Amino acid sequence: MLPELSKLIEVQELDKVIQEITEELERLPEELKTEAAALEDLQAQQAAHLQEMENLKGRRRDTETETADMEDGIKKSRARLMEIKSNIEYKAMIKEIAFKEDQRDKQETRILEIMEQMEAQKRALADTEGQIQERQAALAQRSAAVAEAVKQLKQRLAGLEQQRKKQRKGVPAQLLKRYEFIRQRRNGTAIAPVNEGVCFGCHMNILPQQFIDLQKGVEILQCPHCQRILYWQEEEAAEEGDAPQVQT
Ligand SMILES: [Zn+2]
């Protein structure tokens, strides 16, 4: 095989791994963003529960004040009852007191309802708080793991980029240019093996004469169907399952 071709195969292998690592480096922080957004949703829920709790406290205070005022009114009416002489007035006052007591009882029922709602909010708050703490702990753990993974991936990437630089030096500039051009249009695979006359890039037969020329290994050939740069893979190597997985 032409030495620049074997170097180019190396370059392609490195490019593929570099591509994978680059994508992973982009994906990892996105994953954290999604988890942080879920936590923010919970915190917003908690804020809403707290606000509702404050509203209920206010309503309870107001209702209790109103009830106390009603109680005062009832006491005053009862005191006046003693001074009333006329039977008609007395009956009217009794009726008024009954009405006021009924109003007060309704108000007390309202207070109980508010207290029940407060209990429900308290439970919801405790539940949300628990979820927030769980999420915060999970996020902290995940952030640390992501930071460590990013650090290691970056180190690996730096090493691979060094290797790629070294390998690229052995490939003529024109060929590299062609390689890059095809790579961008063929999903990262610009150089493909040919086995028994079939291009592994597109799984189609190349021309018989091309195959003969390829086996001679004196010139650089491209697949007539997918334009990938070709190299000859001898039969034994392919049978042993060494054929690289190539995607079209
Ligand atoms: Zn092809």
Side-chain angles (χ1 to χ4, degrees):
M1 193 192 296
L2 291 165
E4 57 260 50
L5 278 187
S6 55
K7 289 229 166 64
L8 200 56
I9 295 168
E10 284 292 319
V11 170
Q12 176 163 282
E13 287 309 310
L14 289 165
D15 274 337
K16 283 185 177 180
V17 183
I18 286 168
Q19 177 67 25
E20 274 171 27
I21 292 176
T22 308
E23 281 167 13
E24 184 70 357
L25 280 170
E26 282 166 12
R27 195 188 60 77
L28 283 170
E30 284 302 314
E31 196 183 294
L32 280 187
K33 266 191 213 165
T34 314
E35 287 177 32
L39 178 61
E40 275 173 29
D41 279 351
L42 279 173
Q43 282 164 336
Q45 272 179 41
Q46 190 190 36
H49 286 313
L50 279 170
Q51 182 57 54
E52 182 55 20
M53 194 62 148
E54 283 308 306
N55 295 345
L56 288 168
K57 275 183 193 164
R59 271 178 59 202
R60 184 182 166 179
R61 264 197 311 272
D62 292 348
T63 317
E64 278 172 347
T65 310
E66 282 168 31
T67 314
D69 289 349
M70 285 175 176
E71 196 61 51
D72 274 355
I74 293 167
K75 271 181 194 157
K76 275 174 193 157
S77 298
R78 281 216 185 99
R80 239 182 292 153
L81 204 57
M82 309 299 168
E83 297 152 18
I84 293 170
K85 308 278 186 282
S86 129
N87 205 19
I88 295 167
E89 260 184 78
Y90 187 86
K91 275 185 180 166
M93 188 54 90
I94 288 285
K95 222 175 163 182
E96 195 189 308
I97 291 170
F99 176 76
K100 281 181 179 172
E101 280 174 344
D102 184 49
Q103 291 296 100
R104 182 208 54 200
D105 290 350
K106 279 181 182 151
Q107 199 74 348
E108 277 173 348
T109 307
R110 257 176 231 138
I111 293 172
L112 287 178
E113 282 167 5
I114 293 170
M115 283 165 77
E116 274 169 22
Q117 288 171 22
M118 284 170 82
E119 275 304 310
Q121 284 302 322
K122 212 171 142 186
R123 282 193 298 272
L125 263 171
D127 182 45
T128 316
E129 182 58 35
Q131 285 185 51
I132 286 174
Q133 277 175 9
E134 263 175 44
R135 277 215 174 257
Q136 272 172 339
L139 186 60
Q141 219 174 19
R142 189 79 195 112
S143 297
V146 165
E148 181 56 28
V150 165
K151 194 179 129 196
Q152 285 183 8
L153 285 172
K154 279 184 176 167
Q155 273 173 9
R156 228 184 120 202
L157 193 63
L160 288 164
E161 275 167 351
Q162 277 300 108
Q163 273 187 54
R164 176 171 64 176
K165 212 170 148 188
K166 223 170 97 188
Q167 290 295 341
R168 280 172 72 101
K169 277 186 186 147
V171 184
Q174 266 312 106
L175 183 58
L176 266 183
K177 219 172 143 185
R178 212 191 309 176
Y179 163 79
E180 291 295 349
F181 183 83
I182 303 165
R183 198 168 87 89
Q184 279 170 21
R185 284 158 186 78
R186 288 284 179 263
N187 199 25
T189 306
I191 178 158
V194 173
N195 185 255
E196 291 179 355
V198 176
C199 163
F200 271 50
C202 63
H203 304 285
M204 285 172 76
N205 280 298
I206 62 166
L207 305 171
Q209 186 56 48
Q210 260 191 321
F211 190 43
I212 293 164
D213 291 343
L214 193 69
Q215 281 166 308
K216 285 183 198 156
V218 286
E219 59 177 320
I220 287 165
L221 296 164
Q222 282 177 252
C223 172
H225 311 290
C226 69
Q227 275 71 49
R228 288 188 176 90
I229 299 160
L230 301 172
Y231 65 92
W232 179 45
Q233 188 176 54
E234 290 179 56
E235 273 73 12
E236 313 89 82
E239 275 163 21
E240 280 161 23
D242 286 350
Q245 284 299 304
V246 172
Q247 286 171 345
T248 42

